[in-house]
Amino acid sequence: MRVLALLDGTQADPDSPLIRVDDLGLMRGDGVFETILVVDGKPRELGPHLDRLARSAAMLDLPDPDRAGFERAVDVVLGNWTGGREIALKLVMTRGVEGGDGTPTAFALGMDISPKVLTQRAEGLAAVTLDRGIEPGLMERAPWLLLSAKSLSYAVNMAALREAERRGASEVVFTTSSGSVLEGPTSTVVVARGRTLTTPPSELGILPGTTQAALFRAASRAGWQVEVAPIEVDELYVADAVVLASSVRKLTRVHTLDGKSLPDSTAVHAELAGLYESEY
Ligand SMILES: Cc1ncc(COP(=O)(O)O)c(C=O)c1O
């Protein structure tokens, strides 16, 4: 099922054309987006997602997103959803049409969650490490690369996922050229060691994750140490759990990395998944 809403609060038919062919979001991937998990009609981390949409838009020199308009569109999607308990809710804003007056194209689209994601949530997955060509300091040195913005230009991320498939895996852990862990193409990497959770710093040029932030809130309340610090690939092989965190996938366990089995993380993953759910 899909429900589409515009920022003026009107609903649109997701099967009918809506975007002009000269929209810069389509022509150049020039825009920003968010994907939000909705459970039982309640969007998770809506505020942080809207904040991050505004941050990404600022990085792309786009107008400030119409927050009230997006909230209105979200309400319309939720109010008209008659599908399952969970929704993947996408908020999209592009630079509008080429040569136009700069009015953004914007909408909210509610979709079912893909069965593949549901299987991976339950069973975990195999990942490969792939070089992202990012070195420490690049984000400040070259802001035009838009590292850590959630822009619509995800072709590289999708190509990395296809490379993972070619290597017999289903996910990717991006690394710097020198072997420091970055993030997944659509997820944050979180590592558990003892009672400590670690995620790499967003200053490396990666997206600050709302799911990771929610997990860290819950975990630190439950007595875990949480830290933002560099992680080397070698450390993943000896961690108690390696988890890919993102809104729709929630926390997905990595059981195999570059063809090698990781230590069994079933129990730690179950504990972390419980902590994350306790936030809601
Ligand atoms: C590159 C990247 N990193 C991390 C994440 C995880 O972010 P969140 O937990 O806010 O969904 C995403 C989400 O899709 C992403 O695209």
Side-chain angles (χ1 to χ4, degrees):
M1 166 165 199
R2 284 167 305 152
V3 178
L4 173 62
L6 309 183
L7 271 55
D8 63 3
T10 55
Q11 221 184 315
D13 176 2
D15 290 320
S16 297
L18 176 73
I19 307 294
R20 279 174 47 163
V21 293
D22 55 358
D23 193 287
L24 289 162
L26 174 67
M27 303 280 265
R28 300 198 189 277
D30 195 354
V32 293
F33 78 107
E34 285 293 324
T35 309
I36 299 163
L37 176 65
V38 180
V39 183
D40 293 333
K42 293 190 201 71
R44 293 189 170 179
E45 308 298 322
L46 182 58
H49 279 289
L50 289 168
D51 292 346
R52 194 170 65 186
L53 189 73
R55 174 181 170 276
S56 299
M59 290 177 76
L60 270 73
D61 303 310
L62 283 165
D64 205 20
D66 171 4
R67 195 172 179 112
F70 273 112
E71 283 168 348
R72 199 177 303 129
V74 166
D75 285 344
V76 172
V77 171
L78 303 188
N80 289 280
W81 184 263
T82 55
R85 283 186 61 201
E86 292 192 336
I87 312 173
L89 174 61
K90 226 165 189 179
L91 308 183
V92 177
M93 172 174 146
T94 83
R95 200 176 295 281
V97 296
E98 179 132 46
D101 64 3
T103 306
T105 304
F107 58 86
L109 176 65
M111 295 169 290
D112 286 315
I113 303 203
S114 85
K116 187 175 161 194
V117 168
L118 296 176
T119 306
Q120 290 178 348
R121 264 191 207 165
E123 297 177 2
L125 52 77
V128 292
T129 54
L130 293 181
D131 187 348
R132 185 70 177 77
I134 295 177
E135 284 307 322
L138 188 61
M139 185 172 155
E140 293 82 56
R141 216 163 59 238
W144 53 88
L145 294 180
L146 302 179
L147 300 177
S148 100
K150 200 164 166 67
S151 86
L152 286 172
S153 308
Y154 261 46
V156 166
N157 303 38
M158 298 301 108
L161 288 174
R162 291 193 298 276
E163 178 63 23
E165 298 275 344
R166 277 193 285 273
R167 297 184 187 197
S170 51
E171 264 296 341
V172 174
V173 172
F174 279 133
T175 67
T176 64
S177 306
S178 54
S180 207
V181 172
L182 291 169
E183 63 184 344
T186 64
S187 62
T188 311
V189 177
V190 176
V191 170
R193 286 170 290 199
R195 305 297 287 174
T196 302
L197 296 181
T198 311
T199 196
S202 62
E203 292 74 32
L204 285 174
I206 60 182
L207 189 76
T210 64
T211 313
Q212 167 268 317
L215 170 64
F216 275 29
R217 274 198 316 267
S220 76
R221 258 207 312 278
W224 287 65
Q225 299 294 314
V226 297
E227 62 172 19
V228 177
I231 303 169
E232 298 306 309
V233 169
D234 290 349
E235 299 175 63
L236 301 181
Y237 289 101
V238 292
D240 296 325
V242 177
V243 164
L244 297 181
S246 73
S247 299
V248 171
R249 95 182 56 229
K250 300 185 179 180
L251 306 181
T252 300
R253 197 166 70 81
V254 179
H255 56 58
T256 308
L257 187 66
D258 289 334
K260 280 210 278 190
S261 293
L262 299 183
D264 180 18
S265 59
T266 323
V268 180
H269 171 259
E271 184 177 351
L272 296 178
L275 285 171
Y276 162 76
E277 290 299 332
S278 74
E279 274 296 285
Y280 304 101

